[in-house]
Amino acid sequence: MCPRTKQQFEVIRAEKSELIMQTALVLFAKKGYESTSVGSIAKKAGISKGLMYNYFQSKEDLLTKITINSLSQFSDVLQIENQEHIKKEELIRFIDGNLLLLKESPDFFKLYFSLSAQPGVFALLEQEILKVFLPLMEVFSNYYSQKGDKNPDVKARFLLAVFDGIGIHYLVDTKNFPIDEIRDMIIELL
Amino acid sequence: MCPRTKQQFEVIRAEKSELIMQTALVLFAKKGYESTSVGSIAKKAGISKGLMYNYFQSKEDLLTKITINSLSQFSDVLQIENQEHIKKEELIRFIDGNLLLLKESPDFFKLYFSLSAQPGVFALLEQEILKVFLPLMEVFSNYYSQKGDKNPDVKARFLLAVFDGIGIHYLVDTKNFPIDEIRDMIIELL
Amino acid sequence: MCPRTKQQFEVIRAEKSELIMQTALVLFAKKGYESTSVGSIAKKAGISKGLMYNYFQSKEDLLTKITINSLSQFSDVLQIENQEHIKKEELIRFIDGNLLLLKESPDFFKLYFSLSAQPGVFALLEQEILKVFLPLMEVFSNYYSQKGDKNPDVKARFLLAVFDGIGIHYLVDTKNFPIDEIRDMIIELL
Amino acid sequence: MCPRTKQQFEVIRAEKSELIMQTALVLFAKKGYESTSVGSIAKKAGISKGLMYNYFQSKEDLLTKITINSLSQFSDVLQIENQEHIKKEELIRFIDGNLLLLKESPDFFKLYFSLSAQPGVFALLEQEILKVFLPLMEVFSNYYSQKGDKNPDVKARFLLAVFDGIGIHYLVDTKNFPIDEIRDMIIELL
DNA sequence: AATGAATGAGTCTTCATTCAT
DNA sequence: AATGAATGAAGACTCATTCAT
C-alpha cells in the first residue's frame, strides 16, 4: 500500500537518505566520483534510480550532501575546547581521534583526497572544507603561539599538510603503512 | 615527389606526440583525467580527435605514457649517487630539487596526486610509480640507518608521506602556502 | 501516485523488446549486420538510441537474441515426431513447413545466410545454429538409414546443403525463382 | 631512388595491384568486407594506405575489381564448348572443375557467398555475377532440353542452387564435409 | 610510385536526468 | 514514496579518404 502517515514518511526519508549517502560514499571512494554512475548507486542501495532524485537534486548535490555530512561528523568528534589555553594532551587526543577516523572511515578520506586533487568538483566543496580546515589551522597556530614558536602559522600549516600526507599514504597502502609508529613521530613534532 | 624520409616522419611523430602529451597533462591536471575529454585535448592541441589515436592507442594509453614520461624526467633530476654513504647535503639537494620540480611542473604533480586517490586509474600506473617510489624509500631508509636510527624504514615512510602532504597543500593553495619556510622545517627532520 | 506494477513493466519490456528485435531483423536482413547502425534501428523503431541499451547489452547481444528467438520459433514449427520410424510424408510436411517459413520470414533467412558467410559474427551464433542443425541432420540420416541407404549421413548432409542452396537462390531472386516446382524436385530426392 | 623507366612502372603497377587484390581477398573472406579496414589490407600487403588509393579509387572499387578479376578466372576455367550438343562428360568435367576451384580458392567463394547475402554491396556486383551465372543457366538448361526434360529451366536453376548450397556447407565446415561423395550424388542428378 | 600524417564524419555506448504511473 | 522506461547529449574510438612531401 502506498499511503502512510506523516511520521512514517519522515522516518523513511531519513533512513533512505542515509542509506543512499552511505552507499554512494563507498562507491565514490572505491571508484571515484566521475566513474560512479547514479545507476550503480541505486542498484547497490536497492532502490530505483528515480528515487535518488527524490532525495537529492543531482549527483553533484548528493556529493555535496555527503561531504557536508561527513565533515560535520568529523567536526563533532574533533572538537577542541578551551582555545585560550591549549594543552598538548588535547592535541594528542585530537590526533588520535583523527587517526581513528582515518582507520574507521577510510571511505570518506579517500573521497576527500580524490576531491582535493580535482579542482572541478572541488570548487563546490571548498567552502565546506575550509569551514573545518580554518578553525583547525587556528587551533594549531594558537598552540604554537602559546608555546612561543616564532612562526606558529607556518608550523600549523606544516602539521596539517603532514596529516594529509600520512592519510594518503595510509589509504594507498593500508596494509603495510606503520600508522601507529608514525603517529608517535607526529606527536614528537608538537 | 618522393615520400618523406623515415627520419622526417620520426621528427613529426616526436613533436606531435610531445604536443599532445603536454596539452593533455595540462587538462588532466586542471580538470582530472575522467573529466577531460579526448575532444577537448584535441581542440586545445589544435589537432583532430582522430589524430590522437594515431599516436596513442587510447585515452588510457595517453595517460600511461604521460605518467611514464614525466616520471622518467623526475627520476633523472632526482638521482642520488653514492648510496653507500649518503650525506645530509645530498638529501637537502634532493629535497630542493623536488620542490623545484613541484614549483615548475605543478601539473604533473596535480595529476599524480589525483591519480593516487583514484584506485581505478591508479592501478595502471602503480608499477611505474613504485619504480620511483621504492628506490627513494631505500635511499632515505639507508640514510637513517647510517645515522643510527632505530626505525629507519618508518622514518623514511614518514618523510615521503610528509613530502606528499606538502605537495598537495602547496598545489591546493599555491599562493598562500609558505613553501620555503616549510622547506626549512623538513630539513630539520633529517 | 503509486508506481506501475511489476507485471505492467513486464508487458512494456516484452513489447518494446519485440519491437526492437523485429525492426532490427528487417534492417539486418536488408543491409547486413555490420552496415546497420544502432541509430538506424532506433530511428525506425521510433525510440531513442539509448533505449536499445536498456533492453540489449550491445548490438551483438541484440543480434544473438534475434537469432535465438527466430531459431526457437523455427524449431517449434519444424518439430519431427516419432524418430523411431520416420515416414516420407512427415519429411514432406517438414520440407513444406520449411519452405513456408522461407516465404513468410525471408528476413530471418537472409540474416541467417549472411551470417553463415561471415565467420566473425557467425562464431557467436554457431552453437545456437548447431542446436537446430544437428538434430535435423540426425532425422534425415535416420530416415535414409531406415530406407536402407548406404551413406545415410552423406545423403542427409547433401539434402541440408540443397535446402540452403535453394533458400539463397530464392531470396536473391524471389520473383523469378520457381520455388514450387523445385519443391517437387526435392521431394523426389527423398 | 624514385625515377624509373616506363616499363618498370608498368611491371610494378601490375604486381602491386595483384598483391593488393590477393591480400584484400584473403581478408574479405576471413573477416567480411565491412569488417576489413583498408588499413589492415595495407599492413598485411606491406604497403602504405595511401598507395592503395593509387591503384584503386576506393575500398568499394577494390572489391569490385577483385570480384571481376576472380570471376573472369572462374569463367576461363569453366568454359563449356560446343553448346549445340552438350555431353554429360563435359558437364561432369565442369562440375569437377568447379569443385576444384572451390577447394583451391575457397576465399573467393567465401567472399562471393557473403556478398550474395548482403544486398547493399551486392548490387554493384550483380551485373558481373549475372554475366557468369546466366550463360551457365543456359548451358544446363540446354543440356536438360536436349535430354528431353519437361522443365529444363527449372532443373537448371535447381542444379545451380544445389551447387551454391554445397559450396556454402563445404566452406562452413570444410574439414567434415564429404565433398567427394557428395560430388557423386550431384553427378547422379544430371 | 610511395609514404603516413591528418581529417571528420560516423559508430557504439554510457549516463545523468525526466516523467508517467 | 517509488518505479523503471525513456531521452538526448556526450564520450571514446574507428576508418575511408586526402594530401603534402
Side-chain angles (χ1 to χ4, degrees):
Chain A
M1 276 302 114
C2 273
R4 282 172 236 253
T5 70
K6 257 195 178 177
Q7 278 184 334
Q8 280 177 311
F9 276 147
E10 278 168 22
V11 172
I12 290 175
R13 278 200 80 83
E15 283 176 353
K16 276 282 154 72
S17 176
E18 188 60 27
L19 168 67
I20 295 171
M21 289 199 291
Q22 284 298 334
T23 309
L25 173 56
V26 172
L27 290 175
F28 287 164
K30 185 152 60 178
K31 312 181 50 157
Y33 171 73
E34 302 288 349
S35 299
T36 301
S37 71
V38 171
S40 69
I41 297 169
K43 195 174 179 180
K44 191 155 192 251
I47 60 163
S48 69
K49 261 186 297 180
L51 190 57
M52 208 219 74
Y53 286 87
N54 204 321
Y55 290 91
F56 304 93
Q57 286 164 10
S58 65
K59 190 184 169 187
E60 210 169 277
D61 180 43
L62 173 59
L63 174 63
T64 307
K65 294 232 165 76
I66 287 173
T67 312
I68 293 176
N69 194 47
S70 299
L71 284 175
S72 80
Q73 290 175 28
F74 186 86
S75 288
D76 291 351
V77 173
L78 301 179
Q79 217 52 265
I80 292 210
E81 318 216 346
N82 188 9
Q83 299 258 354
E84 303 294 305
H85 187 66
I86 301 164
K87 294 183 197 159
K88 192 173 181 181
E89 291 79 41
E90 205 157 12
L91 288 190
I92 293 177
R93 204 184 43 70
F94 168 84
I95 289 168
D96 286 336
N98 208 333
L99 292 176
L100 195 65
L101 278 176
L102 185 65
K103 285 181 188 172
E104 292 185 343
S105 315
D107 284 335
F108 170 67
F109 285 87
K110 266 191 182 154
L111 179 59
Y112 163 70
F113 287 125
S114 81
L115 295 178
S116 297
Q118 278 200 14
V121 192
F122 189 60
L124 303 159
L125 302 170
E126 206 172 3
Q127 297 176 23
E128 297 303 324
I129 290 179
L130 283 182
K131 275 191 212 159
V132 175
F133 182 78
L134 291 182
L136 223 54
M137 265 286 291
E138 220 188 326
V139 168
F140 280 96
S141 185
N142 286 346
Y143 170 75
Y144 284 116
S145 205
Q146 289 164 18
K147 254 187 76 177
D149 211 287
K150 265 191 285 186
N151 283 321
D153 278 359
V154 173
K155 274 219 146 178
R157 278 197 104 117
F158 176 68
L159 212 61
L160 291 179
V162 168
F163 287 165
D164 279 351
I166 285 163
I168 285 190
H169 277 233
Y170 170 72
L171 291 173
V172 165
D173 186 21
T174 303
K175 256 198 323 209
N176 304 311
F177 196 79
I179 186 78
D180 294 320
E181 284 145 312
I182 279 180
R183 174 255 183 205
D184 295 339
M185 302 182 83
I186 302 176
I187 304 298
E188 283 175 31
L189 291 179
L190 295 180
Chain B
M1 306 251 179
C2 293
R4 271 177 270 222
T5 67
K6 258 195 177 180
Q7 281 169 343
Q8 284 174 307
F9 280 128
E10 269 170 29
V11 170
I12 292 175
R13 283 197 79 80
E15 284 174 352
K16 271 286 151 68
S17 178
E18 190 60 29
L19 167 67
I20 295 171
M21 288 201 292
Q22 286 298 336
T23 309
L25 174 55
V26 173
L27 290 175
F28 286 164
K30 182 151 63 177
K31 311 181 51 155
Y33 172 72
E34 304 286 353
S35 300
T36 302
S37 72
V38 171
S40 69
I41 297 169
K43 197 172 180 180
K44 191 153 193 257
I47 60 166
S48 69
K49 257 187 300 181
L51 190 58
M52 204 221 77
Y53 290 91
N54 202 322
Y55 290 89
F56 303 93
Q57 286 165 0
S58 62
K59 189 184 169 187
E60 209 170 278
D61 182 44
L62 173 59
L63 173 64
T64 307
K65 296 241 164 71
I66 287 174
T67 311
I68 293 176
N69 196 47
S70 298
L71 283 176
S72 81
Q73 290 176 28
F74 185 87
S75 286
D76 291 349
V77 173
L78 301 179
Q79 219 51 266
I80 291 209
E81 317 216 347
N82 188 9
Q83 300 256 354
E84 303 291 307
H85 189 66
I86 300 163
K87 293 184 200 157
K88 194 173 180 179
E89 291 79 42
E90 203 156 13
L91 289 190
I92 292 176
R93 207 184 41 72
F94 168 85
I95 289 167
D96 286 336
N98 208 332
L99 292 176
L100 195 65
L101 279 175
L102 185 64
K103 285 179 188 170
E104 292 186 342
S105 315
D107 284 334
F108 172 68
F109 284 88
K110 266 192 182 156
L111 179 57
Y112 163 70
F113 288 125
S114 81
L115 294 178
S116 298
Q118 280 198 14
V121 192
F122 186 64
L124 302 162
L125 302 171
E126 206 172 4
Q127 295 178 22
E128 296 302 323
I129 290 179
L130 283 182
K131 274 191 215 159
V132 175
F133 182 78
L134 291 182
L136 224 55
M137 264 287 291
E138 221 188 324
V139 168
F140 281 97
S141 185
N142 286 346
Y143 170 75
Y144 285 115
S145 206
Q146 288 165 18
K147 254 187 75 178
D149 211 288
K150 265 192 284 185
N151 283 322
D153 279 359
V154 174
K155 272 219 148 179
R157 278 197 103 117
F158 177 69
L159 212 60
L160 291 179
V162 168
F163 287 165
D164 280 352
I166 285 164
I168 288 185
H169 277 232
Y170 171 72
L171 292 172
V172 166
D173 186 22
T174 303
K175 258 198 319 210
N176 303 312
F177 196 79
I179 186 76
D180 293 319
E181 284 143 313
I182 279 180
R183 175 257 182 201
D184 296 338
M185 301 182 79
I186 302 176
I187 303 299
E188 285 176 30
L189 290 180
L190 295 181
Chain C
M1 305 255 179
C2 295
R4 269 178 272 224
T5 67
K6 258 195 177 179
Q7 281 170 342
Q8 284 173 309
F9 280 128
E10 269 171 28
V11 170
I12 291 176
R13 281 198 81 79
E15 283 175 353
K16 271 286 151 68
S17 177
E18 189 60 28
L19 167 67
I20 295 171
M21 289 202 290
Q22 286 298 335
T23 310
L25 174 56
V26 172
L27 289 175
F28 286 164
K30 183 151 63 179
K31 311 181 51 157
Y33 171 74
E34 304 286 354
S35 300
T36 302
S37 72
V38 171
S40 69
I41 297 169
K43 196 173 180 181
K44 191 154 194 257
I47 60 167
S48 68
K49 257 189 298 183
L51 189 57
M52 204 220 76
Y53 289 89
N54 200 320
Y55 289 90
F56 303 93
Q57 286 166 1
S58 63
K59 190 185 169 188
E60 207 170 279
D61 181 44
L62 173 58
L63 174 63
T64 307
K65 294 240 163 73
I66 288 174
T67 311
I68 292 177
N69 196 45
S70 298
L71 283 176
S72 81
Q73 290 174 28
F74 186 86
S75 286
D76 291 350
V77 173
L78 301 180
Q79 220 51 266
I80 291 211
E81 318 215 346
N82 189 9
Q83 299 254 356
E84 303 291 306
H85 189 66
I86 301 164
K87 292 184 200 159
K88 193 173 181 179
E89 291 80 42
E90 206 157 9
L91 288 191
I92 293 177
R93 207 182 42 72
F94 168 84
I95 290 168
D96 286 335
N98 210 330
L99 292 177
L100 195 65
L101 279 174
L102 185 64
K103 286 179 187 171
E104 293 185 342
S105 314
D107 284 334
F108 171 67
F109 284 87
K110 266 191 183 156
L111 179 59
Y112 162 70
F113 288 124
S114 81
L115 294 178
S116 298
Q118 279 200 12
V121 192
F122 187 63
L124 301 163
L125 302 171
E126 205 172 4
Q127 295 177 21
E128 296 302 324
I129 291 178
L130 283 182
K131 273 192 213 160
V132 175
F133 182 78
L134 291 181
L136 225 54
M137 264 287 290
E138 220 188 326
V139 168
F140 281 96
S141 184
N142 286 347
Y143 171 75
Y144 283 116
S145 205
Q146 288 165 18
K147 254 187 76 178
D149 211 287
K150 267 192 282 186
N151 282 322
D153 279 359
V154 174
K155 273 218 146 179
R157 278 198 105 116
F158 176 68
L159 212 61
L160 290 179
V162 168
F163 287 165
D164 280 352
I166 286 164
I168 288 185
H169 277 233
Y170 171 72
L171 292 173
V172 166
D173 186 21
T174 303
K175 258 201 319 211
N176 302 311
F177 197 77
I179 186 78
D180 294 319
E181 283 144 313
I182 278 181
R183 174 256 181 202
D184 296 339
M185 300 183 79
I186 302 177
I187 303 298
E188 283 175 31
L189 290 179
L190 296 180
Chain D
M1 279 296 117
C2 271
R4 284 171 234 252
T5 70
K6 257 197 179 177
Q7 279 185 330
Q8 280 176 310
F9 276 148
E10 278 168 23
V11 171
I12 290 175
R13 279 200 80 81
E15 282 176 353
K16 276 283 154 73
S17 176
E18 188 61 27
L19 168 66
I20 295 171
M21 289 200 290
Q22 284 298 335
T23 308
L25 174 55
V26 172
L27 290 175
F28 287 164
K30 184 152 58 178
K31 312 181 53 159
Y33 172 74
E34 302 287 350
S35 300
T36 302
S37 70
V38 171
S40 69
I41 297 169
K43 194 173 180 181
K44 192 154 193 249
I47 60 163
S48 69
K49 260 184 299 180
L51 191 57
M52 207 219 75
Y53 286 87
N54 204 320
Y55 289 92
F56 304 93
Q57 288 165 7
S58 64
K59 190 183 170 189
E60 209 169 279
D61 181 43
L62 173 59
L63 173 64
T64 308
K65 294 235 165 72
I66 287 173
T67 312
I68 293 176
N69 195 47
S70 298
L71 283 175
S72 81
Q73 291 175 28
F74 185 85
S75 287
D76 291 350
V77 174
L78 301 179
Q79 218 52 265
I80 292 210
E81 319 216 345
N82 188 8
Q83 300 255 354
E84 302 293 305
H85 188 65
I86 301 163
K87 292 185 201 158
K88 193 174 179 179
E89 291 78 41
E90 205 157 10
L91 288 191
I92 291 176
R93 206 184 41 73
F94 167 85
I95 289 168
D96 286 336
N98 208 331
L99 292 177
L100 195 66
L101 279 175
L102 184 64
K103 286 180 186 170
E104 293 185 342
S105 315
D107 284 336
F108 171 67
F109 285 88
K110 265 191 184 155
L111 178 59
Y112 162 70
F113 287 125
S114 81
L115 294 178
S116 298
Q118 279 199 17
V121 192
F122 188 59
L124 302 159
L125 303 170
E126 206 172 4
Q127 297 176 23
E128 296 302 325
I129 290 179
L130 283 182
K131 274 192 213 159
V132 176
F133 182 76
L134 290 182
L136 223 55
M137 263 287 289
E138 220 187 325
V139 168
F140 281 96
S141 185
N142 286 347
Y143 170 75
Y144 284 116
S145 206
Q146 288 165 18
K147 252 186 78 177
D149 212 288
K150 266 191 283 184
N151 283 322
D153 279 1
V154 173
K155 273 218 145 177
R157 279 197 104 117
F158 176 68
L159 213 59
L160 291 180
V162 167
F163 288 165
D164 279 353
I166 285 164
I168 285 191
H169 277 234
Y170 171 73
L171 291 173
V172 166
D173 185 21
T174 303
K175 256 199 324 210
N176 302 311
F177 196 78
I179 186 78
D180 294 320
E181 284 145 312
I182 278 180
R183 174 258 182 203
D184 296 340
M185 301 181 87
I186 302 177
I187 303 298
E188 283 176 30
L189 290 180
L190 295 181

